[in-house]
Amino acid sequence: MLRITNLKKYYGQTRGAEDVSFSVKKGEIFGFIGPNGAGKSTTIRCIMNLINKDGGSIEFDGKELIKNDVKAYEKIGYLPSEPALYKELKVIDMLKYNDSFYGKDTLPKGLAYAQKLQLDTSKKIGELSLGNIKKVGIVLSFMQDPKLVIMDEATSGLDPLMQEEVYKIILDEKNQGTTFLFSSHNLMEVKKLCDTVGIIKDGRIIKIASTNSLTTTEAYKVKYIENGEEKSLIYKDDINTLIKELSTKKLDKLLIEEPNLEEIFMHYYE
């Protein structure tokens, strides 16, 4: 559904993205993770043609994605991390304005999702909290039944109950065949929602794997006490090799278990 190949973007001498390559399969949720400045938002903005790339290619639904391809972008829903909306418009008018860009009636779906998210459509955008502005952005990203939804920090600013409601919407959409590129700092929600994870560091993809494999076969969390000193590490090799290495040490205690996604993520950033 989405294929990024050798994407490059520089801001003068500053690196934004350097040789970024990954693909998102139809109907999957691809988790795009990395710290601030790693290149996530740069990559997303290049996909949406909000900024011009310096090299590489971006394909959507089998075709090169170009800036003025209105028909292609009608099939892509986009939620920026901080939605910029018209503050003087009421929420209902914002939904109607968004509806006017499509040759079909998208308003019923928008109103249904607004109700699920407990969004007061009679209020002006400028009167809303940051969390409620995020809700408006979420509704707008789904209204036109897109094939691909790109979400940048989808649940930031939402309370835990509302986050769960957004998760339900995302999974319902996935079950209907919608594809997602899902950028997040919340590793718990990445594990909960995503089929595949791509980790980006210094503008490059350093790991792509299924979410399950990252937290099972990929690594072991090892803690041991040797001569009264506690040591810990993430071990990424055959467990039999690990046992041989540990057998050479005089250990007081040993614990081997599966690391969680956050621990694996931090391992890649050491």
Side-chain angles (χ1 to χ4, degrees), residues 1 14 18 25 50 57 68 92 99 132 142 224:
M1 182 59 69
T14 304
E18 180 67 48
K25 297 176 184 176
L50 299 173
S57 65
N68 296 318
I92 183 62
D99 173 76
N132 280 318
F142 287 114
Y224 61 91

Side-chain angles (χ1 to χ4, degrees), residues 3 16 27 43 68 75 90 106 113 153 161 164 187 229:
R3 184 181 299 276
T43 300
N68 296 318
K75 300 173 185 176
K90 292 180 179 179
T106 70
Y113 276 4
E153 300 298 331
L161 290 177
E164 288 296 327
L187 298 181
E229 183 180 356

Side-chain angles (χ1 to χ4, degrees), residues 69-117:
D69 193 343
V70 176
K71 292 297 182 183
Y73 279 104
E74 283 182 354
K75 300 173 185 176
I76 301 175
Y78 173 49
L79 174 68
S81 58
E82 297 179 3
L85 306 173
Y86 295 106
K87 293 183 179 180
E88 293 304 312
L89 286 182
K90 292 180 179 179
V91 173
I92 183 62
D93 295 326
M94 188 73 228
L95 300 187
K96 288 178 179 178
Y97 179 64
N98 191 72
D99 173 76
S100 70
F101 290 102
Y102 303 98
K104 57 183 179 180
D105 189 3
T106 70
L107 194 57
K109 184 174 183 179
L111 291 173
Y113 276 4
Q115 185 175 18
K116 283 186 177 182
L117 296 176

Side-chain angles (χ1 to χ4, degrees), residues 1 14 20 27 34 38 43 72 75 85 89 93 102 105 110 124 128-129 131 145 164 166 185 193 211 213 228 237 239:
M1 182 59 69
T14 304
V20 171
T43 300
K75 300 173 185 176
L85 306 173
L89 286 182
D93 295 326
Y102 303 98
D105 189 3
K124 286 187 176 181
L128 300 180
S129 66
D145 288 325
E164 288 296 327
V166 174
H185 283 97
L193 295 174
T211 309
S213 71
D237 206 335
I239 193 168

Side-chain angles (χ1 to χ4, degrees), residues 114-268:
Q115 185 175 18
K116 283 186 177 182
L117 296 176
Q118 300 175 18
L119 187 58
D120 186 348
T121 59
S122 67
K123 283 191 173 182
K124 286 187 176 181
I125 301 292
E127 299 172 348
L128 300 180
S129 66
L130 292 176
N132 280 318
I133 290 174
K134 178 60 69 74
K135 292 179 190 178
V136 179
I138 292 168
V139 171
L140 294 175
S141 69
F142 287 114
M143 279 180 67
Q144 80 274 27
D145 288 325
K147 287 187 174 183
L148 170 68
V149 179
I150 299 173
M151 309 187 86
D152 195 356
E153 300 298 331
T155 64
S156 63
L158 301 182
D159 64 60
L161 290 177
M162 200 51 59
Q163 287 178 2
E164 288 296 327
E165 195 60 49
V166 174
Y167 299 157
K168 289 177 186 176
I169 290 173
I170 291 171
L171 292 175
D172 284 345
E173 288 282 337
K174 180 195 173 185
N175 289 337
Q176 296 173 47
T178 307
T179 304
F180 288 85
L181 176 60
F182 188 86
S183 173
S184 178
H185 283 97
N186 186 333
L187 298 181
M188 290 298 292
E189 72 180 12
V190 169
K191 184 176 180 181
K192 185 171 187 174
L193 295 174
C194 299
D195 304 294
T196 307
V197 174
I199 301 175
I200 187 169
K201 178 182 181 182
D202 298 332
R204 294 178 181 270
I205 300 293
I206 58 172
K207 184 70 177 179
I208 296 176
S210 72
T211 309
N212 287 337
S213 71
L214 272 178
T215 55
T216 54
T217 60
E218 287 289 319
Y220 302 96
K221 181 170 66 174
V222 183
K223 288 185 178 181
Y224 61 91
I225 298 177
E226 182 183 18
N227 298 324
E229 183 180 356
E230 183 175 310
K231 299 180 181 180
S232 62
L233 60 107
I234 301 294
Y235 188 84
K236 298 181 67 224
D237 206 335
D238 182 73
I239 193 168
N240 294 298
T241 304
L242 170 63
I243 291 170
K244 286 180 182 179
E245 291 183 12
L246 292 175
S247 68
T248 65
K249 302 177 181 294
K250 187 176 182 180
L251 303 181
D252 301 313
K253 290 184 179 180
L254 172 65
L255 174 65
I256 301 175
E257 58 185 350
E258 292 179 358
N260 59 40
L261 187 59
E262 184 172 3
E263 289 165 328
I264 293 172
F265 175 79
M266 293 308 297
H267 169 72
Y268 280 107

Side-chain angles (χ1 to χ4, degrees), residues 20-37:
V20 171
S21 298
F22 65 91
S23 60
V24 184
K25 297 176 184 176
K26 182 177 180 181
E28 83 168 340
I29 303 177
F30 186 98
F32 195 34
I33 61 177
N36 289 334

